[in-house]
């Protein structure tokens, strides 16, 4: 799949059943691992820096529906997502558009990330909040 990505580093591993929409806007560093049954929607740019791990059944969605007259429309608004070097996202994590997760962070399983997470932090919950330092 390497030729289809915007960029693809060395030793990238992608598990069974992963769905990637708009792979030309997905940028993968070295030693990234995307576990089985993840969904990545890269309509806006999605960057996984070196040594990023994405746990099973996670969702990374770089666009969101636009509401018009109180109704969700088919048009979307895209915004980039960046997951910093050495970050581990547990299983069933959801990362919404426009999010930056700092390097060397841990996102707990089941978290829904709706705001930026700084470097070297642990975050958990719905919505995800920083719960400690690494």
């Amino acid at each position: 799949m390497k030729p289809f990505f915007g960029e693809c580093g060395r030793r990238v591993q992608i598990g069974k059943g992963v769905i990637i929409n708009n792979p030309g806007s997905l940028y993968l560093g070295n030693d990234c691992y995307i576990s089985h049954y993840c969904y990545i929607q890269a309509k806006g740019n999605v960057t996984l820096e070196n040594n990023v791990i994405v746990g099973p059944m996670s969702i990374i969605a770089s666009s969101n529906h636009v509401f018009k007259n109180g109704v969700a429309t088919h048009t979307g608004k895209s915004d980039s997502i960046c997951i910093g070097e050495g970050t581990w996202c547990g299983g069933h994590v959801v990362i919404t558009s426009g999010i930056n997760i700092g390097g060397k962070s841990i996102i707990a399983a089941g978290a829904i990330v709706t705001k930026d997470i700084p470097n070297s932090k642990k975050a958990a919950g719905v919505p995800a909040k920083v719960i400690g330092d690494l």
Side-chain angles (χ1 to χ4, degrees), residues 2 6-7 14 42 49 59-60 68 79 88 93 100 103 125 133:
K2 189 172 185 173
E7 187 174 299
I14 298 176
E49 294 182 352
I59 298 170
I60 300 172
K68 187 173 183 179
D79 205 353
W88 171 26
V93 166
N100 290 303
D133 296 324

Side-chain angles (χ1 to χ4, degrees), residues 93-104:
V93 166
V94 175
I95 301 171
T96 59
S97 66
I99 297 301
N100 290 303
I101 298 175
K104 299 177 182 150

Side-chain angles (χ1 to χ4, degrees), residues 17-88:
V18 171
I19 296 171
I20 300 171
N21 287 344
N22 304 96
S25 297
L26 178 59
Y27 301 88
L28 302 170
N30 295 325
D31 301 300
C32 288
Y33 177 63
I34 301 170
S35 191
H36 56 281
Y37 300 110
C38 288
Y39 173 76
I40 299 176
Q41 191 273 60
K43 189 172 182 183
N45 292 337
V46 172
T47 302
L48 278 59
E49 294 182 352
N50 296 334
N51 299 297
V52 168
I53 299 169
V54 180
M57 295 169 266
S58 293
I59 298 170
I60 300 172
S62 65
S63 69
N64 204 348
H65 294 285
V66 173
F67 283 82
K68 187 173 183 179
N69 299 323
V71 177
T73 65
H74 292 286
T75 57
K77 180 179 183 243
S78 299
D79 205 353
S80 63
I81 294 172
C82 182
I83 302 175
E85 182 172 358
T87 291
W88 171 26

Side-chain angles (χ1 to χ4, degrees), residues 99-103 105-107 113 115-119 121-123 128-130:
I99 297 301
N100 290 303
I101 298 175
S105 294
I106 295 176
I107 310 301
V113 184
K115 294 185 179 170
D116 291 351
I117 305 295
N119 290 331
K121 300 293 182 186
K122 291 187 266 184
K129 291 184 170 65
V130 172

